[in-house]
Amino acid sequence: MDAEALQSIVATNQWGAIWPEILLGCLAVVLLFVDLFTKSRGVITVRIAIWSQVLLLVFLLGRFVFGSASGELGSHYFSGMILQTASTEWARLFFLFASICVCHIGGVYLASRKLAKVEFYHIVMIITAGLMLLAQANDFLLFFVVLETVTIGFYILVAYARHSRFSLEAGLKYLVMAAFSSAIMLFGIVLLYGVAGNPNLPMTASMPLNFDQLAAFIAADDGSIANRGNLMVTVGAALVLIGIAFKIGAVPFQIWVPDVYQGAPTPVTAFLAVASKAAGFIVLFLLLRGPFADLDFLWVPLLTVIAVLTLLFGNIAALGQRNVKRIMGMSGVAHAGVLLLGVLAAQQVDWAYKAVWFYLFVYALASFAVFTVMAHVAPQEDSDQSLERYDNLIRRQPLLGTILIIGLGSLAGIPPLAGFVAKLLIFVAAFQAELYTLLGVALLGVVLSIYYYFAWIRAAVMKHPFVEDSETAEIPSPTFGSKVFMITLAAATIVLGVYQGMFAIGG
Amino acid sequence: MREFLFYFFAALTVVPGLFVAISRNPVNAAMNMILSFIGLAALFVMLESYFLAILQVLVYAGAIVVLFLFIIMLIDAERAPKSGWLTSLAAVAALALMVTGLLTLLYSGESGTFAVAGETAPAALSQTFGVELFTRYLLPFQVTGFMLLMAMVGVIVISRKDAAEDKGGEA
């Protein structure tokens, strides 16, 4: 390759375009050094981790709202591997917000346990940088490398509480299932790569891993041969979608969810439930609106079946659970079903895309509020959190009880909380897209979900006559910072229930 | 001759690969893996991708399998228990399904006509890899660096001795 061609490639490697990710990665490394050279274990590092990310979030938010970033939107970098749009800016904000919440919950969780401290924040921040890059990926190579980075981080985090047999078991299960799903996805990518480079088909892609070229290849049709009917294209696309279905925990690929959610430390469960799931949906959008846009005859029925199964299974399986982490796991599966409904609606109703974004934000707010309460209430063995432990919580710790009720109410979709509006928007979109069967199943799911969310709320507000006081151990009061954090989340949940205007920004 | 060699090395890749999966003794599985990697390296040689062939032997057959053997020794892995007939049946059914799927994919004609491979291998030289890796694929390359750093930190976190933790994490 001659020097000029190389020059033109290197010129697109604009590192400035991904400075937030680079900054996060560097901060993660700096944290390790700070911990090495300071004496106060854990206290300084968690503050640096949280406040530096808050600063970054505020800066990115300001840049996004006041539009100085809009000039760069829609541009490609790194030989077309990175594509920045308004929705990738949303994704950056979302993952950064999730990272801050997880660091805070992690601080609460680690404070009372003999576990390594700084490494937790280190791994969380690198995963976050990876997730932010994942949303901007426009090439299967970068996509897969970043996805694996994120997944490997999660392997470690799930098994982080290494004295707990639950955590180690969960780590092993997650390792096996995630590696399995990555292998399936990789096989799909390889098939797509192979077929897109075939010179005997209409339009041969010179860089078959690039999303734009792949989209053009799949759309290509020279009259006699249409690439979208090619068996290798459909099988490859189906395998990639199945790999993503594993990540979002959609039925029938949800087998790992309950055990991993129960065994993983509470902050990691929160991270998995919110950030990992959101990443799955962002990637799904990326693919369905990009390379797979012309394969709707394949993915519409595929995702419809998955969505119906997910909605029914998630809600029904959550009914019988007594462990709150398993409840969050199974209800998370049900939420994935609602989001899939939004994804399907977005095929015909364009604004459903924003409804899904709104749902993700609202789900994150409510979930993090609930998970923070869980981190406070959890016993030393974090996996063993039964409903009985929440007995009469509202009188023992009024703040925790109130936050829990607001969070669960929003997850269940009770007006005037934000969860209601989020569900309503998705259902209206589905109605406009004429997905009546799916809508009926989703409504049934909402009714079912009220049962198990309210069983939890009932445990928190009432005193169970058969639970002795000695069984409900003393719950320490949250620190001031934690109180502020939880009140902020709850307040945002209420405010977004009546005002959704800011989500009209961008794309 | 060329065709015979191809089938010979292909069999050398696939058959030991099967034994890796079904062998009950972990050391046997690792040894079979070496054989399988050598078969794969030979296939790369036949494609004139000498650099990939050398890497395959050096990195996989050399380093990675040795690492596997170390781990097998360290955790003192025992023979895997005999699997029940239901598990075996499921495995055979899955294998049959996958082979059928692959054959359908390749020979049903639904995948379009396949191109004939070019005479020269594009990735024969290490220079090709180096240039691409440090220009076009520099970003994924750097991301991999962070992945490895995080994995290293993670391994230390999960395997560190308790005594160090009790002193407040000084190790």
Side-chain angles (χ1 to χ4, degrees):
Chain A
M1 196 180 282
D2 60 293
E4 267 178 47
L6 278 182
Q7 274 297 326
S8 67
I9 290 174
V10 174
T12 63
N13 287 358
Q14 292 186 15
W15 298 95
I18 53 164
W19 66 265
E21 289 81 6
I22 296 175
L23 192 65
L24 266 185
C26 294
L27 270 172
V29 178
V30 167
L31 271 187
L32 291 182
F33 280 97
V34 169
D35 186 63
L36 189 65
F37 293 117
T38 52
K39 286 274 175 269
S40 62
R41 302 275 159 202
V43 181
I44 290 187
T45 44
V46 66
R47 285 192 184 147
I48 295 178
I50 290 178
W51 287 109
S52 56
Q53 292 187 88
V54 168
L55 272 181
L56 187 58
L57 181 71
V58 167
F59 184 82
L60 284 181
L61 192 67
R63 196 178 68 146
F64 186 49
V65 171
F66 298 110
S68 64
S70 55
E72 302 155 20
L73 295 182
S75 14
H76 290 81
Y77 301 101
F78 294 94
S79 332
M81 274 193 283
I82 292 269
L83 172 64
Q84 291 185 338
T85 59
S87 67
T88 66
E89 286 298 306
W90 274 118
R92 274 175 166 171
L93 296 174
F94 181 86
F95 289 128
L96 207 52
F97 167 69
S99 174
I100 294 167
C101 295
V102 170
C103 283
H104 175 77
I105 304 175
V108 172
Y109 171 84
L110 291 172
S112 59
R113 284 171 183 80
K114 268 188 193 162
L115 288 169
K117 302 261 191 303
V118 66
E119 288 84 351
F120 183 85
Y121 311 112
H122 172 82
I123 296 170
V124 166
M125 284 163 87
I126 291 190
I127 291 181
T128 306
L131 289 168
M132 285 157 79
L133 271 184
L134 187 64
Q136 303 168 35
N138 195 39
D139 185 288
F140 265 127
L141 191 98
L142 182 70
F143 172 83
F144 190 73
V145 168
V146 174
L147 190 69
E148 277 309 284
T149 309
V150 169
T151 315
I152 285 175
F154 274 120
Y155 295 158
I156 302 162
L157 287 185
V158 169
Y160 201 83
R162 61 197 195 84
H163 303 296
S164 157
R165 292 163 74 179
F166 289 101
S167 181
L168 291 180
E169 182 201 339
L172 189 65
K173 278 188 176 155
Y174 188 70
L175 173 73
V176 172
M177 292 314 284
F180 182 55
S181 71
S182 294
I184 290 179
M185 186 187 282
L186 191 59
F187 193 59
I189 295 173
V190 166
L191 286 181
L192 289 173
Y193 177 75
V195 72
N198 187 345
N200 290 355
L201 296 175
M203 180 184 158
T204 308
S206 59
M207 288 183 67
L209 288 176
N210 188 289
F211 285 177
D212 300 332
Q213 291 209 16
L214 205 56
F217 169 79
I218 290 174
D221 184 350
D222 68 354
S224 57
I225 314 171
N227 282 340
R228 68 176 72 84
N230 192 312
L231 189 63
M232 231 183 231
V233 171
T234 48
V235 172
L239 288 179
V240 171
L241 291 179
I242 287 171
I244 295 171
F246 262 105
K247 305 278 178 219
I248 59 179
V251 182
F253 312 105
Q254 88 302 352
I255 307 233
W256 58 276
V257 169
D259 284 348
V260 171
Y261 275 42
Q262 187 193 353
T266 303
V268 179
T269 311
F271 207 16
L272 271 177
V274 176
S276 175
K277 187 165 292 170
F281 278 99
I282 291 166
V283 164
L284 202 58
F285 263 120
L286 218 62
L287 291 174
L288 296 185
R289 307 194 130 203
F292 299 165
D294 278 294
L295 294 173
D296 50 357
F297 66 92
L298 168 79
W299 58 259
V300 169
L302 187 74
L303 292 186
T304 306
V305 172
I306 289 180
V308 169
L309 289 175
T310 307
L311 280 164
L312 286 178
F313 181 90
N315 283 309
I316 293 172
L319 288 180
Q321 306 288 351
R322 298 294 296 168
N323 182 307
V324 293
K325 283 172 99 178
R326 291 179 90 88
I327 293 179
M328 284 310 278
M330 296 323 293
S331 77
V333 170
H335 283 289
V338 178
L339 285 162
L340 275 176
L341 177 63
V343 172
L344 283 165
Q347 199 225 344
Q348 283 148 37
V349 185
D350 200 50
W351 62 267
Y353 179 62
K354 282 184 185 170
V356 170
W357 262 117
F358 183 67
Y359 196 96
L360 279 175
F361 267 93
V362 168
Y363 173 70
L365 285 171
S367 295
F368 281 130
V370 173
F371 277 113
T372 318
V373 174
M374 281 164 71
H376 282 292
V377 177
Q380 195 64 27
E381 173 48 85
D382 181 60
S383 311
D384 189 22
Q385 302 187 31
S386 64
L387 280 180
E388 280 73 31
R389 210 171 154 85
Y390 288 81
D391 189 52
N392 212 5
L393 182 69
I394 192 120
R395 274 179 205 84
R396 292 192 290 157
Q397 286 289 349
L399 179 74
L400 290 182
T402 316
I403 303 286
L404 184 75
I405 291 168
I406 293 174
L408 289 177
S410 180
L411 286 177
I414 306 297
L417 300 168
F420 169 73
V421 184
K423 277 206 172 72
L424 187 70
L425 285 174
I426 289 209
F427 288 172
V428 170
F431 186 78
Q432 287 187 359
E434 300 179 353
L435 303 167
Y436 300 125
T437 321
L438 262 176
L439 190 58
V441 176
L443 285 173
L444 181 68
V446 171
V447 176
L448 287 172
S449 78
I450 288 178
Y451 175 84
Y452 55 80
Y453 283 129
F454 273 61
W456 193 350
I457 293 181
R458 186 187 57 199
V461 296
M462 287 185 190
K463 179 155 172 42
H464 197 290
F466 303 119
V467 175
E468 297 289 330
D469 279 344
S470 57
E471 285 177 41
T472 54
E474 193 61 34
I475 295 166
S477 286
T479 58
F480 177 72
S482 195
K483 280 180 185 162
V484 171
F485 173 76
M486 284 188 288
I487 291 172
T488 314
L489 287 184
T493 301
I494 295 170
V495 168
L496 283 181
V498 289
Y499 171 75
Q500 297 90 22
M502 70 168 288
F503 280 82
I505 300 173
Chain B
M1 185 63 190
R2 203 179 152 77
E3 201 165 340
F4 167 76
L5 278 178
F6 171 76
Y7 283 115
F8 177 75
F9 288 124
L12 191 64
T13 312
V14 175
V15 176
L18 184 69
F19 280 114
V20 174
I22 63 173
S23 147
R24 283 169 57 207
N25 185 334
V27 179
N28 284 1
M31 289 302 168
N32 273 307
M33 196 176 240
I34 296 188
L35 269 186
S36 177
F37 284 154
I38 289 175
L40 200 57
L43 287 177
F44 281 134
V45 170
M46 292 185 63
L47 290 171
E48 296 184 19
S49 298
Y50 302 113
F51 179 65
L52 268 186
I54 292 168
L55 278 190
Q56 182 73 26
V57 173
L58 274 184
V59 176
Y60 282 88
I64 290 189
V65 176
V66 169
L67 189 72
F68 279 11
L69 285 172
F70 260 123
I71 292 169
I72 291 169
M73 248 167 53
L74 277 179
I75 64 171
D76 198 14
E78 291 167 15
R79 285 170 72 86
K82 255 204 166 100
S83 48
W85 65 272
L86 199 65
T87 319
S88 314
L89 189 72
V92 171
L95 184 68
L97 262 177
M98 280 194 270
V99 171
T100 321
L102 193 66
L103 291 179
T104 317
L105 209 55
L106 292 180
Y107 296 114
S108 68
E110 299 282 320
S111 307
T113 46
F114 291 113
V116 180
E119 290 294 311
T120 54
L125 293 172
S126 53
Q127 188 194 4
T128 324
F129 285 91
V131 167
E132 289 284 308
L133 207 54
F134 290 102
T135 54
R136 200 193 302 274
Y137 297 113
L138 190 56
L139 178 63
F141 181 76
Q142 298 282 10
V143 172
T144 319
F146 270 101
M147 181 206 288
L148 293 177
L149 170 73
M150 183 178 60
M152 209 161 60
V153 170
V155 167
I156 295 168
V157 165
I158 293 179
S159 64
R160 193 165 57 173
K161 274 227 170 73
D162 269 3
E165 258 170 35
D166 291 344
K167 273 184 260 161
E170 280 156 328

